Amino acid sequence: QKRLLNAPDESLPGDAAVRVSRLMALVWQQRPDIQQAFPLDDPTRRAALVDWFFTHGIAEMRLAGLVETPAAPGTRGAPPSRSAAGTRTPLHRPPAQAPAIRKGGALPFGVNLIGSARGQFGIGEDVRMAALAMRAANIPFVIHNVEPGREVCQGDDSVEAFISDGLPYTVNVLCTTGFETARLAAAEGTRLFDGRCTIGYWPWELPEWPEDWRHAYNLVDEVWASSRYTYEAYARSSPKPVRHVPMAVSVDPTTGLRRRDFGLSEDRFLFVFSFDILSSLSRKNPHAVVRSFKRAFRSGNEAVGLVLKVMRAAPGNPVWQALLEEAGSDRRISVINATLSRGAVLDLYRACDVFVSLHRAEGFGRGIAEAMMLGKPVVVTGFSGNMDFTTPGTAALTNHRMRPVGPDEYAFASGQSWAEPEEDHAAWWMRRLFEDAGLRQRLAQQGRLLATA
């Protein structure tokens, strides 16, 4: 991709010494001030554009990570020699914060929510909860639906009435990842962005935003972070304003299901953990939940059970198969591999006694927040986004140590770290909550108060 960006734009004229690269052409297309200063049909101004790009543009637009400089100057976008480019010509009166997106005042106030409105996965829930928040605040809005991959079920029609083909309002809120925002820009061009203020409400699970994807900041005017943890990740690198905007969470939906509807025992104390294979098995870390449960209840005679609710588990996934084998060796562990409605998932939480998440990192931790709002005590790793609402006295926080993210564990994670929860400590908490009804009640009550505040 970098080589392609730095190759000459063959649609533009040029000589062998000075060629405009595709990346330069993209910058030229986004900046009316540059178009006026460097008309591409003038050979002298075309050379001046190349000179300006290397002397001012790369730093101004924060493009250093995208520029490739071969050994031979004057080719494939490398800085031209002074003889080839002529006198260095800085762009006069450059804007201090040149926006990548042009603003306009013709559109009415309101919000275009952009995301997977029907998708039954976490990012889909993000846009649906944003819609709920807009309704509560009486803010005009529509939803511009983004089709997810084929592996994602699209059975949630709760916001169908708000889906629109148009983008009628002056503010965009992108309830997608930063990666997906870049893909949308590539697929749809400037149509989504022109004349609007664009906000990236991007989920992210690691301590820093990847350096290789910092160009995504150029597509938005500001970034919203659902947790303080994610806020810090973006604030370390973003040239745009970053705001902490906690995620909306609702636990109203229900389908009226009970334990028997899920095939669960009526006379056991049940722990539950819910996760999506698409969200990374390494990050969600269900193996630790299974091992901690077995350590907590070694005798096998206790009236307890563990429910693993999973979506999109593929039979050919060796990590998933290893988890099934580990869980299958204990008859007290139930696995529900299905895509359930939102109400059914919440009913499963209602039917169980304790929610467990021994994640290595969470951007926000919606499942944890939902369980707390339903009045369930939670056993969770004391790290990352959930620490906004899981505090000592409101949650059973599991000790952890930090370790590097493995090369195949998470995308764009090179050089970053996440938590490794202490399974013995998690097992201790699970045993205590099973045995101490008073502790369960106190954690559940305080957790619900904090999560619903």
Side-chain angles (χ1 to χ4, degrees):
Q1 291 173 347
K2 185 183 287 188
R3 286 195 298 271
L4 183 67
L5 281 173
N6 287 274
D9 189 332
E10 300 296 343
S11 67
L12 299 174
D15 54 41
V18 179
R19 298 300 301 269
V20 175
S21 71
R22 290 187 176 96
L23 181 57
M24 295 175 200
L26 288 171
V27 171
W28 187 88
Q29 291 166 12
Q30 289 188 17
R31 294 275 298 270
D33 54 336
I34 296 176
Q35 294 170 24
Q36 184 176 2
F38 306 115
L40 293 181
D41 57 355
D42 183 332
T44 302
R45 304 310 297 160
R46 203 162 53 241
L49 166 65
V50 176
D51 206 12
W52 170 84
F53 180 82
F54 285 102
T55 56
H56 297 272
I58 293 173
E60 184 178 321
M61 302 282 289
R62 298 176 180 266
L63 298 175
L66 297 179
V67 175
E68 183 181 67
T69 306
T75 61
R76 295 175 61 90
S81 65
R82 187 176 298 273
S83 60
T87 305
R88 295 194 179 276
T89 309
L91 178 64
H92 295 293
R93 291 178 283 105
Q97 287 284 336
I101 300 146
R102 297 185 289 279
K103 312 293 190 300
L107 297 173
F109 172 73
V111 175
N112 309 306
L113 295 173
I114 300 172
S116 297
R118 305 182 185 97
Q120 291 178 270
F121 64 146
I123 297 176
E125 194 64 17
D126 287 352
V127 73
R128 292 188 287 271
M129 287 297 100
L132 184 70
M134 296 297 153
R135 293 183 66 187
N138 293 317
I139 295 174
F141 75 96
V142 297
I143 301 176
H144 177 79
N145 185 51
V146 176
E147 295 293 331
R150 294 181 180 178
E151 68 275 13
V152 177
C153 297
Q154 297 191 69
D156 194 313
D157 60 359
S158 60
V159 294
E160 194 71 25
F162 303 103
I163 296 176
S164 169
D165 291 333
L167 297 163
Y169 298 119
T170 191
V171 177
N172 288 334
V173 176
L174 284 147
C175 298
T176 65
T177 66
F179 313 135
E180 178 69 5
T181 298
R183 188 197 68 79
L184 286 171
E188 303 201 28
T190 61
R191 183 182 75 88
L192 291 179
F193 307 100
D194 282 348
R196 298 174 180 85
C197 173
T198 298
I199 298 163
Y201 200 3
W202 295 340
W204 183 240
E205 287 85 17
L206 295 181
E208 294 188 34
W209 180 244
E211 185 174 355
D212 287 346
W213 280 91
R214 290 184 184 178
H215 59 279
Y217 290 134
N218 293 329
L219 298 171
V220 298
D221 296 287
E222 62 184 64
V223 179
W224 286 1
S226 60
S227 66
R228 291 181 178 86
Y229 169 78
T230 305
Y231 171 88
E232 292 294 337
Y234 289 126
R236 288 187 179 98
S237 59
S238 175
K240 305 294 177 67
V242 181
R243 304 182 191 279
H244 175 215
V245 182
M247 186 71 66
V249 180
S250 171
V251 292
D252 292 338
T254 180
T255 53
L257 299 179
R258 301 290 185 268
R259 284 194 177 190
R260 62 180 177 274
D261 299 305
F262 296 106
L264 301 175
S265 172
E266 298 283 356
D267 58 356
R268 288 183 178 272
F269 186 96
L270 296 181
F271 298 87
V272 62
F273 178 46
S274 178
F275 62 100
D276 186 344
I277 293 290
L278 288 183
S279 295
S280 167
L281 272 173
S282 294
R283 182 175 69 83
K284 288 295 189 177
N285 200 19
H287 292 79
V289 177
V290 172
R291 290 191 294 263
S292 297
F293 173 80
K294 289 182 173 182
R295 292 181 188 186
F297 307 104
R298 293 181 185 276
S299 70
N301 298 322
E302 301 91 346
V304 296
L306 170 64
V307 182
L308 297 177
K309 162 62 184 70
V310 61
M311 280 198 299
R312 286 176 277 274
N317 185 326
V319 181
W320 168 245
Q321 288 302 316
L323 178 64
L324 276 182
E325 291 176 10
E326 190 161 15
S329 65
D330 192 322
R331 59 180 177 78
R332 300 170 299 177
I333 301 176
S334 303
V335 178
I336 301 174
N337 181 11
T339 299
L340 303 179
S341 69
R342 191 86 211 117
V345 171
L346 293 173
D347 286 342
L348 177 62
Y349 297 168
R350 292 182 180 101
C352 296
D353 299 285
V354 176
F355 187 91
V356 184
S357 176
L358 300 182
H359 55 268
R360 293 186 170 105
E362 283 284 4
F364 177 69
R366 183 189 302 280
I368 301 167
E370 289 169 342
M372 293 173 71
M373 291 176 69
L374 289 170
K376 303 297 177 179
V378 297
V379 178
V380 296
T381 309
F383 173 73
S384 63
N386 56 284
M387 293 306 289
D388 283 3
F389 50 88
T390 56
T391 62
T394 67
L397 296 177
T398 299
N399 293 341
H400 65 278
R401 61 177 177 82
M402 298 300 294
R403 71 159 177 86
V405 182
D408 298 321
E409 289 185 316
Y410 205 72
F412 306 107
S414 177
Q416 300 209 53
S417 299
W418 58 14
E420 190 63 49
E422 293 182 8
E423 295 174 11
D424 284 339
H425 192 216
W428 178 83
W429 270 120
M430 294 168 81
R431 186 81 195 191
R432 281 203 66 192
L433 289 174
F434 169 64
E435 294 175 343
D436 192 336
L439 175 61
R440 288 200 306 273
Q441 183 177 1
R442 290 193 300 274
L443 284 180
Q445 182 179 23
Q446 293 303 313
R448 186 172 188 174
L449 287 173
L450 179 59
T452 56

